[in-house]
Amino acid sequence: MSQAMVEECGRVVAVENSGVWVATLSRTGCGRCDQPGGCGRQSLFRLFGQRQHHVLAHIVDGETDENARALTAGDSVTIGIPEGLLLRASLTLYLLPLLGLLAGALAGHGWAGESASILLGLVGVATGFVLARWVARTHLQDEAWHPVVLRRLTTGVEWVQPS
């Protein structure tokens, strides 16, 4: 593999010509979720249930090991995305709305004071989210933005069904 990858384990739920659909579960994050000073995310999972995500993962020459070429539904796999892609996607998702908020608030303040600053700040946030969604949709067909199957796992993924 030529670049560092962010990896996630999951289970194949469907196989298509363009790749495999993999179900993954949301992770707990900090590892200290139930301890004092932890993030408390595990408590939220208990309250609202764990979310299951389905992603289309491609099988790519040079990235996928030979053992993962003939996947079937129910197989446990490791999928990955390049770290740089995760950084770019995160910046798009978080930075565009924040920049919209700041631009709107500054324009509103310069134009008509505090109430216009609040109103245009909200418009700026909404515009930033719309732009982020547009950027994400433009990359839906771009295979470089999809996760790839890295390997088939010989042992099953520890799978807890969502509530």
Side-chain angles (χ1 to χ4, degrees):
M1 280 173 250
S2 60
Q3 53 190 325
M5 300 284 252
V6 177
E7 297 182 3
E8 179 71 36
C9 295
R11 185 167 288 161
V12 175
V13 292
V15 178
E16 293 183 357
N17 289 337
S18 58
V20 294
W21 284 95
V22 178
T24 63
L25 292 176
S26 296
R27 289 196 176 196
T28 55
C30 73
R32 300 182 347 151
C33 296
D34 285 335
Q35 298 173 2
C39 67
R41 192 168 175 192
Q42 188 65 31
S43 301
L44 290 175
F45 283 148
R46 273 193 234 107
L47 187 61
F48 296 111
Q50 236 172 352
R51 287 198 52 204
Q52 189 177 29
H53 304 280
H54 292 94
V55 295
L56 179 63
H58 295 286
I59 297 174
V60 178
D61 290 335
E63 296 289 341
T64 306
D65 74 356
E66 292 301 318
N67 191 27
R69 298 270 176 209
L71 293 169
T72 59
D75 287 343
S76 296
V77 294
T78 299
I79 59 175
I81 59 171
E83 285 181 350
L85 175 61
L86 182 62
L87 179 61
R88 285 194 312 269
S90 298
L91 284 174
T92 300
L93 178 64
Y94 293 112
L95 198 56
L96 286 177
L98 180 62
L99 290 175
L101 170 70
L102 292 174
L106 289 173
H109 184 69
W111 177 47
E114 187 176 337
S115 58
S117 179
I118 292 169
L119 180 64
L120 288 181
L122 292 173
V123 170
V125 166
T127 303
F129 278 122
V130 169
L131 283 173
R133 184 177 174 104
W134 176 78
V135 168
R137 287 184 180 264
T138 60
H139 292 293
L140 277 178
Q141 301 305 321
D142 185 357
E143 289 189 17
W145 283 67
H146 286 268
V148 296
V149 176
L150 299 175
R151 61 191 157 277
R152 179 187 297 181
L153 300 176
T154 55
T155 59
V157 175
E158 185 178 319
W159 197 262
V160 180
Q161 289 297 328
S163 304

